[in-house]
Amino acid sequence: VLIDVDRKRAEGEAMDLNHGLSFVRPVKIWAGDYPDCRGADIVVISAGFAQRPGESRLDLVNKNVEIFKQIVPQVVEHNQGCIILIATNPVDVMTYAALKLSGFPANRVIGSGTILDTSRLRYVLGEHLRVDPRNVHAYVIGEHGDTEVAVWSLANVAGARLRDFCPVCGEKYDPDHFDRLFQRVRDAAYEIIELKGRTYFAIGLGLTRIVESIIRDENAVLTVSSLLEDYYGVSDVCLSVPTIINRQGIREILKLPLEEGEIREFQKSASIIKSINQSLHF
């Protein structure tokens, strides 16, 4: 069910999607309203002001929190047992806001977090190393935004750390080059927004991956945003780290063996997001 303040748009989207049903497995799609949330296993919230050229994700905070104050209570009114999945930016702040506004347990409020950043990192590394991105194992943690952290110390291909794998594909192990690749990852959204106005295909695939891992009870490891408590000293803030996702939502948050520099960068990322959270009023 699609719920939108612009009812005509929701109806148009539903019509467009329904016209493709012969190509997929059976599903019912319609434009509805908040009472239709009753009985839903997952409610995905993507509503909010979009990021514009030259604007950071954090610039959207106050406008989108006000929107969430209208949306989340209406979802909860009709469904107290669902999992809420947040895509709205700045996603870490909005996940925290949804947690506070809903009153749900932390395992049932999840943000898309750095699932897209992690995918982007695996893509650019796969392109550089000439291997399938699905065989690249690397994570981006922390904020989905300018202070996100690439965990280079654990990045590997088929279990081989980058230092050992680079000679296999004829590439020099060059940390400075990898840092430049990460800058492409971190700034990718700005470039895409400048080129085409907004991002939607890759994040749509990322949201689908999260939903599938919940519905199918997969126990998949994904870098979603959720409430952290004493994660390298970081507490009471929603950020992304590798997390086991299954039918209950968050099953377990995995504490990675980070290097000291990565810990400091992660803590810096947390302090920025936490300071924004503390300025909000719910």
Side-chain angles (χ1 to χ4, degrees):
V1 56
L2 306 179
I3 303 171
D4 198 304
V5 66
D6 184 348
R7 176 63 183 232
K8 287 186 176 180
R9 177 177 177 179
E11 291 174 351
E13 297 283 10
M15 182 182 295
D16 195 8
L17 289 166
N18 276 316
H19 292 167
L21 289 188
S22 65
F23 305 123
V24 298
R25 286 169 286 190
V27 61
K28 182 181 179 183
I29 303 169
W30 74 99
D33 211 331
Y34 287 100
D36 294 299
C37 290
R38 185 174 290 109
D41 295 306
I42 304 173
V43 174
V44 181
I45 302 178
S46 60
F49 284 92
Q51 190 177 348
R52 295 175 298 184
E55 191 174 38
S56 76
R57 295 178 183 93
L58 294 181
D59 291 333
L60 305 173
V61 170
N62 291 324
K63 294 184 291 186
N64 285 345
V65 166
E66 289 304 310
I67 291 174
F68 268 41
K69 288 179 180 179
Q70 300 173 44
I71 292 174
V72 175
Q74 293 189 79
V75 171
V76 174
E77 178 185 352
H78 298 287
N79 190 333
Q80 291 81 45
C82 65
I83 290 170
I84 297 179
L85 175 57
I86 306 298
T88 304
N89 276 320
V91 70
D92 304 295
V93 177
M94 302 312 299
T95 302
Y96 187 82
L99 181 66
K100 295 300 182 181
L101 291 168
S102 68
F104 280 11
N107 67 293
R108 290 200 282 118
V109 180
I110 304 170
S112 56
T114 58
I115 190 170
L116 178 53
D117 310 276
T118 292
S119 180
R120 286 170 173 157
L121 181 61
R122 293 176 179 182
Y123 162 71
V124 298
L125 281 175
E127 186 179 45
H128 176 65
L129 299 172
R130 299 188 299 282
V131 295
D132 188 327
R134 293 173 296 180
N135 299 124
V136 177
H137 305 286
Y139 296 112
V140 176
I141 63 173
E143 176 201 1
H144 171 53
D146 296 340
T147 65
E148 62 191 34
V149 181
V151 185
W152 291 119
S153 65
L154 299 177
N156 70 87
V157 178
R161 298 291 171 86
L162 296 181
R163 183 185 299 276
D164 300 317
F165 186 83
C166 283
V168 174
C169 61
E171 293 289 343
K172 177 185 176 182
Y173 176 73
D174 183 355
D176 290 336
H177 182 69
F178 288 129
D179 285 338
R180 289 192 294 272
L181 290 179
F182 177 58
Q183 290 174 19
R184 285 176 51 195
V185 169
R186 187 190 60 206
D187 299 337
Y190 297 122
E191 184 176 358
I192 294 170
I193 290 168
E194 184 67 34
L195 291 169
K196 58 174 275 186
R198 65 188 63 194
T199 66
Y200 38 80
F201 291 124
I203 186 57
L205 289 168
L207 291 169
T208 299
R209 182 70 191 92
I210 297 169
V211 169
E212 285 180 343
S213 68
I214 295 169
I215 295 297
R216 295 176 179 172
D217 199 28
E218 290 184 0
N219 293 295
V221 177
L222 303 170
T223 51
V224 296
S225 183
S226 65
L227 186 69
L228 301 182
E229 294 297 342
D230 195 22
Y231 195 98
Y232 285 107
V234 170
S235 296
D236 193 35
V237 64
C238 293
L239 290 173
S240 292
V241 294
T243 303
I244 299 177
I245 304 292
N246 65 10
R247 196 63 184 81
Q248 69 190 46
I250 303 291
R251 193 197 93 185
E252 186 175 354
I253 294 171
L254 303 178
K255 191 166 186 179
L256 299 177
L258 302 175
E259 292 186 344
E260 286 299 318
E262 294 165 343
I263 293 172
R264 288 194 298 271
E265 289 182 32
F266 178 76
Q267 291 172 336
K268 178 182 177 182
S269 182
S271 67
I272 291 172
I273 298 301
K274 191 167 185 176
S275 67
I276 294 170
N277 290 343
Q278 291 171 342
S279 71
L280 303 174
H281 304 285
F282 302 109

